[in-house]
Amino acid sequence: MAAQFGRLRKGAVNTTVAAVVVAALAASQAPGVTTDDAGRKVTTGTQPSPDTPAENSATGNSPYYTDLPPLNSPNPSPTTGAPVTQGTSEAGIPATVLDAYKKAANALQESKPGCNLPWELLAAIGKVESGQARGGRVDANGNTLSKILGPQLNGNGFASISDTDGGAYDGDSSYDRAVGPMQFIPSTWEWAGRDGNGDGKKDPNNVYDAALAAGHYLCRFGWDLSTKGDLDSAILSYNNSQDYLNLVLRWLEYYRKGTHEIPDGTGTLPSDRSDDTAGASPTPTTPGTPTTPSSPSTPKPGGSDGGSTSPKPTPPPSTTPPATPAPTPTDTVHHLEDAGTAKLSAMAGDAFTEKITARAETKAGKAVPKVRIRFAIIGATDAAFSTGGKYATVLTNSIGEAVAPALKAGENTGEFVVRTTVVGRTVSGLDYTATVTERAADTLARTGEEALTCTPGGEFADQVEVKATYKGAVADKVAATATLIKSADDATENDKGPYFKDADGKTVRTLTGLTTDANGLLKLPKLYADDSTGTFLLRINTAGGATLTVELKVAAADTSPSPTPSEPASGTDSASPSPSA
């Protein structure tokens, strides 16, 4: 305990001792201390706490990029629904990354509206942590093209966090590393991870998953991020550094003044990191206030801050208003319309015959071509697109329509939703309901033609085998039942005649849980006969309504003697010659 007190700020010892005593005696939280979703103690407040363990932050207090936003602010944000004007290149955010931030903020607005999480905060943290996923090097589904890993947290200049995930997330079985575009350490991701794209996985290397996880992480204590105190506390809980707090606030302020969508992979790559040994790391101050350098330094080539603290001359104000570039097609989209999608229904394991078609339109109803439309499968289903994933992104054609890849039903029956949205634009999307029905057959036929006969108390020599088809095609994995019924008009179970045997050798006259194989074949177990004789009926039913009735005959064995050759008349020897005359 003495060693821990030795790390406290002067004047804070008594307060901390009291808090520890209260916690120990009353099992309660001291003021300014709470627990995260994993039950770990976290200090709140607007100042970093030297006593907060690194593993209690999202990133393990890993290094971060220290590049400052440009001194010149981007153009002010337009009103809702208006085209976004293009600002400086630093204000551009890759389309898929921007879409992930906005979707995460919208989700938090629904689940935790009191948090008031702005998507620009996620953008600010994403900029500082990974340079917006390395300038947007992600695929259309949000997966980073390569893993984004922080340095090994081995205590050599960083916190020391021994491996907690066996290398599952970071590929390091010795020490943890921060992972993905939002730089979560594995132990935090284990409880904070979220599935942001509905693919059933929580992947820190997916920007949709990581952005949603970051949003929930920042909102986890009931903080109201529209207030400065709670905003500061949330950012410090992500990385416990005053410099980090100031830097994130500067980028937040910058993005709030305006931003725009740029193609994936074309974002500005950061150059300076907080663990760089060459060159001084900037110490950001309050948002919007340039850092005053302690000594002159040589500006970096390229004209951007790049983390340099060199003073820059202020250019004279321009008397010519900046030109407003024409809006991109995405900027003009007002809503999505269904483009004639028919009812979506398929049997388990089959492809849906209908495809989803959505059309992007302006407010006036004009079609918008060259817009990316995202299709996402939502719900507890194992259905997928023919491309193999739970989501797909398609560019609208010349008439503004995007056709989703074909849907493939899994084995789970019931309904699920396909959600259609515009990438890079927050407008009303469309939800399509799809239904998966159980596998079915419409025809059953025996594979053999031999009569099925048996003697009382015996067993049938041949087993019944049938083949199921649906619309002429093999009907595989179709559920079926087999029942020995009383008559053609009475399908109740018979209480006499042929029967099956269960695993214990007991008489069974109804079999359930049967399934056709991959070739649509179903071979029933061996049949036995009791002492009853006559003609009996076996009825087989499948899902989908296919029915087949099979005759079974039980008759006593024929005991009449076999015919013998006729004998000659008495006293006559057939071998003797006839008497002479």
Side-chain angles (χ1 to χ4, degrees):
M1 184 64 74
Q4 292 180 347
F5 289 151
R7 294 164 50 227
L8 292 174
R9 294 188 302 273
K10 185 177 181 181
V13 175
N14 292 339
T15 301
T16 305
V17 172
V20 172
V21 172
V22 170
L25 295 178
S28 63
Q29 300 296 331
V33 178
T34 183
T35 56
D36 60 21
D37 292 351
R40 299 180 301 197
K41 191 175 293 185
V42 177
T43 303
T44 62
T46 58
Q47 295 294 327
S49 169
D51 295 319
T52 303
E55 59 268 25
N56 280 1
S57 71
T59 68
N61 297 339
S62 293
Y64 52 89
Y65 289 105
T66 58
D67 295 39
L68 291 166
L71 294 177
N72 295 327
S73 297
N75 292 331
S77 299
T79 56
T80 303
V84 177
T85 56
Q86 303 291 322
T88 177
S89 61
E90 279 289 354
I93 299 179
T96 300
V97 179
L98 179 61
D99 185 51
Y101 295 151
K102 290 184 176 181
K103 278 185 168 54
N106 288 340
L108 266 297
Q109 184 59 38
E110 293 180 8
S111 62
K112 297 181 180 179
C115 180
N116 293 308
L117 171 74
W119 67 262
E120 293 91 344
L121 176 59
L122 297 176
I125 290 176
K127 177 68 175 180
V128 171
E129 292 295 347
S130 68
Q132 312 298 19
R134 289 180 178 159
R137 294 187 69 250
V138 297
D139 62 22
N141 299 319
N143 300 308
T144 58
L145 300 183
S146 59
K147 285 189 175 182
I148 301 176
L149 297 174
Q152 190 180 61
L153 298 176
N154 56 12
N156 184 18
F158 315 114
S160 179
I161 303 178
S162 297
D163 174 64
T164 61
D165 66 329
Y169 294 119
D170 56 14
D172 192 329
S173 58
S174 299
Y175 293 91
D176 274 351
R177 298 170 181 257
V179 182
M182 302 305 279
Q183 288 290 278
F184 280 95
I185 55 174
S187 59
T188 301
W189 182 262
E190 192 62 30
W191 59 266
R194 294 291 191 279
D195 177 14
N197 57 11
D199 66 351
K201 297 183 294 185
K202 300 175 183 179
D203 184 0
N205 294 296
N206 181 280
V207 70
Y208 287 96
D209 293 359
L212 184 60
H216 278 278
Y217 185 92
L218 294 166
C219 292
R220 71 196 185 286
F221 291 134
W223 281 321
D224 179 358
L225 303 188
S226 65
T227 65
K228 178 168 174 50
D230 284 359
L231 175 62
D232 289 356
S233 296
I235 297 172
L236 285 172
S237 77
Y238 211 89
N239 192 312
N240 191 39
S241 161
Q242 186 68 39
D243 288 349
Y244 181 87
L245 168 65
N246 292 336
L247 184 59
V248 169
L249 288 174
R250 292 192 69 168
W251 279 108
L252 169 60
E253 184 70 14
Y254 182 77
Y255 285 135
R256 275 176 165 163
K257 291 179 179 179
T259 186
H260 57 277
E261 173 189 319
I262 60 175
D264 290 343
T266 63
T268 303
L269 294 176
S271 57
D272 295 330
R273 247 179 24 164
S274 60
D275 62 334
D276 285 347
T277 54
S281 296
T283 304
T285 56
T286 55
T289 303
T291 299
T292 302
S294 57
S295 59
S297 60
T298 302
K300 293 188 177 184
S304 66
D305 272 357
S308 170
T309 56
S310 301
K312 296 182 180 180
T314 303
S318 174
T319 58
T320 304
T324 301
T328 66
T330 301
D331 297 332
T332 67
V333 177
H334 179 267
H335 61 273
L336 291 174
E337 286 285 343
D338 175 47
T341 303
K343 182 179 179 181
L344 297 167
S345 181
M347 192 184 302
D350 288 351
F352 285 74
T353 56
E354 291 294 332
K355 292 183 179 181
I356 297 172
T357 304
R359 182 172 58 252
E361 295 184 354
T362 64
K363 189 174 183 179
K366 183 179 178 181
V368 184
K370 297 182 179 179
V371 172
R372 292 197 303 161
I373 305 298
R374 179 181 172 84
F375 301 90
I377 297 174
I378 309 296
T381 178
D382 53 352
F385 290 111
S386 58
T387 51
K390 292 282 187 181
Y391 38 83
T393 302
V394 179
L395 200 67
T396 56
N397 58 20
S398 59
I399 58 174
E401 292 183 357
V403 182
L407 285 166
K408 179 79 161 50
E411 296 302 320
N412 295 344
T413 59
E415 293 184 346
F416 63 92
V417 169
V418 178
R419 182 159 297 162
T420 308
T421 55
V422 180
V423 175
R425 185 120 175 115
T426 304
V427 297
S428 298
L430 295 175
D431 280 356
Y432 294 87
T433 300
T435 304
V436 179
T437 60
E438 64 179 335
R439 293 173 181 263
D442 55 17
T443 304
L444 278 175
R446 281 190 62 197
T447 57
E449 297 180 354
E450 65 280 358
L452 299 170
T453 61
C454 182
T455 57
E459 61 183 51
F460 287 81
D462 298 306
Q463 292 176 244
V464 177
E465 184 181 64
V466 297
K467 183 172 184 177
T469 56
Y470 183 79
K471 295 182 178 180
V474 167
D476 61 326
K477 300 180 183 179
V478 176
T481 60
T483 306
L484 291 148
I485 60 176
K486 290 185 176 181
S487 69
D489 299 324
D490 185 356
T492 57
E493 181 181 293
N494 207 340
D495 55 1
K496 62 180 180 179
Y499 61 90
F500 301 103
K501 289 182 181 180
D502 65 12
D504 297 325
K506 296 179 180 179
T507 297
V508 175
R509 289 192 169 91
T510 298
L511 297 178
T512 60
L514 304 173
T515 306
T516 61
D517 65 14
N519 298 314
L521 298 176
L522 172 62
K523 192 170 188 176
L524 300 182
K526 183 172 289 189
L527 279 161
Y528 302 86
D530 60 13
D531 295 333
S532 303
T533 59
T535 299
F536 300 89
L537 300 179
L538 169 66
R539 181 159 293 172
I540 305 169
N541 298 304
T542 69
T547 300
L548 177 66
T549 302
V550 180
E551 284 192 352
L552 306 171
K553 293 184 178 181
V554 179
D558 187 0
T559 59
S560 59
S562 301
T564 57
S566 59
E567 296 180 357
S570 177
T572 303
D573 186 355
S574 60
S576 303
S578 299
S580 58

